Amino acid sequence: MGTMNYEACAGATALNEYFNDLGIEAWRRYGDCEGIHNLSQKQKPRIMTTQASGDQVEERSCPLSNSARLSIARTCIVQVETGLLNSILGYLRKISRVRIIEDVGDMKVTHDGDCIPHASNEQRIPIVTFVHEVIPSSQIVEHCRDHGVVCRACKFLSTIELWDEMNLTQYDGVVRFSFAHYNNISDIKRTIHVLEMLEEW
């Protein structure tokens, strides 16, 4: 027997509010996200608000529905995360000793270095996993953590059969970097810099 997970319930409620606010802020800043550019200026009324300093500033109210705000938030998140993925994956693919673990459509993951089509980064979540042919994954993670970059290394609940099929049995785990829309390109550059500090990288 267990009890209701109140933290998860509260988080679900807060998540909707967060994405709603994110959509409004994106609309106010850019005004040209998907679903926004068709609105006329008359549909974007401006109101005056007073800041704590007493100064009045012009601010656009948001006439969009909740679903439209969520759609805008999702669009902006995808744009940010895709840019981060393009940057880190573009770098890792240039490192000859690194094998990125990824599934490409119906094709199996290769381990022989052959060039295969890559799935669109807009269709994947911002998680990057890889192995290095010389440096153990656990050593990479320890090095990164020592330099302020958080990542993990393990098998992440995958089965022995999967590791065998993907020819990963010789590795102690895979390195996993997880990014989100609150990361930025500076985080990617710092991660790359830390990785390049490794001997035999």
Side-chain angles (χ1 to χ4, degrees):
M1 298 295 291
T3 58
M4 183 179 295
N5 189 328
Y6 291 103
E7 293 87 352
C9 293
T13 301
L15 187 63
N16 180 68
E17 294 177 359
Y18 171 71
F19 281 108
N20 184 63
D21 290 345
L22 187 62
I24 293 174
E25 183 62 25
W27 179 82
R28 286 177 174 167
R29 286 192 184 190
Y30 309 112
D32 59 351
C33 294
E34 184 178 2
I36 299 301
H37 61 279
N38 292 327
L39 292 176
S40 68
Q41 289 302 312
K42 291 183 179 179
Q43 292 174 296
K44 298 178 181 179
R46 297 175 181 273
I47 59 175
M48 301 300 293
T49 59
T50 303
Q51 295 181 327
S53 63
D55 297 331
Q56 281 196 325
V57 294
E58 191 175 45
E59 181 179 294
R60 285 182 290 177
S61 63
C62 185
L64 301 173
S65 67
N66 186 61
S67 61
R69 295 172 186 177
L70 295 179
S71 178
I72 295 166
R74 180 185 180 280
T75 298
C76 293
I77 288 172
V78 168
Q79 290 176 347
V80 170
E81 293 179 347
T82 298
L84 298 176
L85 281 172
N86 287 340
S87 181
I88 189 66
L89 289 174
Y91 168 74
L92 290 175
R93 285 175 180 144
K94 296 177 182 178
I95 308 301
S96 60
R97 289 180 168 179
V98 167
R99 174 189 163 197
I100 301 171
I101 311 303
E102 56 186 338
D103 187 19
V104 184
D106 294 329
M107 300 176 66
K108 291 186 180 297
V109 178
T110 63
H111 64 283
D112 53 10
D114 288 345
C115 293
I116 57 177
H118 295 294
S120 169
N121 289 339
E122 293 184 359
Q123 300 174 6
R124 62 187 295 168
I125 58 177
I127 293 177
V128 177
T129 57
F130 66 91
V131 290
H132 193 281
E133 65 180 38
V134 176
I135 309 173
S137 297
S138 56
Q139 182 179 332
I140 294 174
V141 168
E142 183 179 359
H143 168 81
C144 287
R145 287 179 176 173
D146 287 345
H147 291 84
V149 175
V150 178
C151 55
R152 294 181 62 195
C154 68
K155 296 184 177 180
F156 299 103
L157 303 178
S158 55
T159 63
I160 296 176
E161 290 78 12
L162 178 62
W163 275 66
D164 183 60
E165 180 180 345
M166 297 176 68
N167 293 284
L168 290 169
T169 53
Q170 70 271 34
Y171 298 102
D172 62 339
V174 296
V175 179
R176 186 180 78 178
F177 287 108
S178 301
F179 301 100
H181 58 281
Y182 44 75
N183 290 115
N184 55 50
I185 199 65
S186 296
D187 296 324
I188 302 297
K189 290 180 178 179
R190 174 169 171 74
T191 298
I192 292 173
H193 174 70
V194 170
L195 289 173
E196 291 183 337
M197 293 169 62
L198 283 161
E199 292 186 19
E200 299 185 286
W201 174 254

